[in-house]
Amino acid sequence: AQSVAQPEDQVNVAEGNPLTVKCTYSVSGNPYLFWYVQYPNRGLQFLLKYITGDNLVKGSYGFEAEFNKSQTSFHLKKPSALVSDSALYFCAVRDNTYGQNFVFGPGTRLSVLP
Amino acid sequence: EPEVTQTPSHQVTQMGQEVILRCVPISNHLYFYWYRQILGQKVEFLVSFYNNEISEKSEIFDDQFSVERPDGSNFTLKIRSTKLEDSAMYFCASSTQGAQGETQYFGPGTRLLVL
């Protein structure tokens, strides 16, 4: 069965510092990995995804993520955090042997402090 | 940029009542989904819909739930007899295709409170 873990409930980082939000996954087949962000009172906004190819994926708002097959990880990163990046971040996975739905991680709340 | 929209944003209902949550997917999308997020918990898949029929559903999506595309634009989730545990945020999503690598675009959600 598919599963996603986000080991940190909360990540705090100072504005201007690099940030990392961690995600590990378990799938039966080849993984398709996604990051979504949820701002207060808003829906889930797509940030980026890994399907195949280059392990480093670049997405919206300066975010990027690195797919590491041996560690089954897909950590979200940004070189310089902004206060406006403060939100709830969800990692999600699908695999090529399973259905159409996403399996989401529990979410990580990112707080960027001025 | 096209967006998925949902109405209402908030709904309060009494236990046992029927509710209908409405969604307008992105216009050229063919696959539609409902997810829910109980407060403090992860987002969970309910159902996917394509070509006017359910293509997948989870264990959560039991007989009290139904989905419909009543016209060319709306996609609805009906809960026939609400229970306290149905209180959650319900998200609609859509995608152009149902492929595993396809991005799903989510609406802002409907917060349902069952009293």
Side-chain angles (χ1 to χ4, degrees), chain B residues 80-97:
Chain B
R80 291 191 183 82
S81 178
T82 50
K83 305 171 188 171
L84 296 177
E85 55 264 36
D86 293 328
S87 295
M89 178 75 90
Y90 288 81
F91 292 107
C92 174
S94 69
S95 63
T96 52
Q97 301 173 29

Side-chain angles (χ1 to χ4, degrees), chain B residues 13-19 79-83 86 114:
Chain B
T13 190
Q14 296 291 323
M15 189 170 57
Q17 295 296 305
E18 174 183 286
V19 295
I79 309 175
R80 291 191 183 82
S81 178
T82 50
K83 305 171 188 171
D86 293 328
V114 182

Side-chain angles (χ1 to χ4, degrees), chain B residues 10-108:
Chain B
H10 294 78
Q11 173 116 30
V12 181
T13 190
Q14 296 291 323
M15 189 170 57
Q17 295 296 305
E18 174 183 286
V19 295
I20 298 176
L21 310 182
R22 291 181 169 79
C23 168
V24 178
I26 294 172
S27 62
N28 64 337
H29 286 187
L30 301 178
Y31 289 79
F32 315 118
Y33 312 85
W34 283 102
Y35 291 79
R36 79 173 185 190
Q37 184 183 28
I38 295 172
L39 187 64
Q41 299 185 24
K42 62 175 69 175
V43 178
E44 301 172 293
F45 169 75
L46 292 177
V47 65
S48 60
F49 190 86
Y50 169 70
N51 199 27
N52 283 319
E53 60 183 29
I54 292 172
S55 49
E56 283 182 64
K57 61 182 181 179
S58 72
E59 293 176 351
I60 303 168
F61 194 86
D62 60 23
D63 291 344
Q64 70 162 344
F65 290 95
S66 62
V67 289
E68 191 179 28
R69 188 154 163 83
D71 53 43
S73 60
N74 288 284
F75 177 53
T76 62
L77 174 69
K78 181 190 290 187
I79 309 175
R80 291 191 183 82
S81 178
T82 50
K83 305 171 188 171
L84 296 177
E85 55 264 36
D86 293 328
S87 295
M89 178 75 90
Y90 288 81
F91 292 107
C92 174
S94 69
S95 63
T96 52
Q97 301 173 29
Q100 275 78 5
E102 193 75 15
T103 300
Q104 294 179 12
Y105 293 90
F106 286 76

Side-chain angles (χ1 to χ4, degrees), chain A residues 5-45:
Chain A
Q6 292 180 243
E8 299 156 318
D9 294 334
Q10 173 92 33
V11 170
N12 297 321
V13 63
E15 187 175 29
N17 284 0
L19 70 87
T20 298
V21 182
K22 295 179 180 177
C23 171
T24 58
Y25 65 90
S26 174
V27 297
S28 302
N30 294 324
Y32 299 96
L33 296 152
F34 298 76
W35 275 102
Y36 285 84
V37 60
Q38 185 179 28
Y39 296 102
N41 301 315
R42 301 286 298 276
L44 299 169
Q45 295 182 31

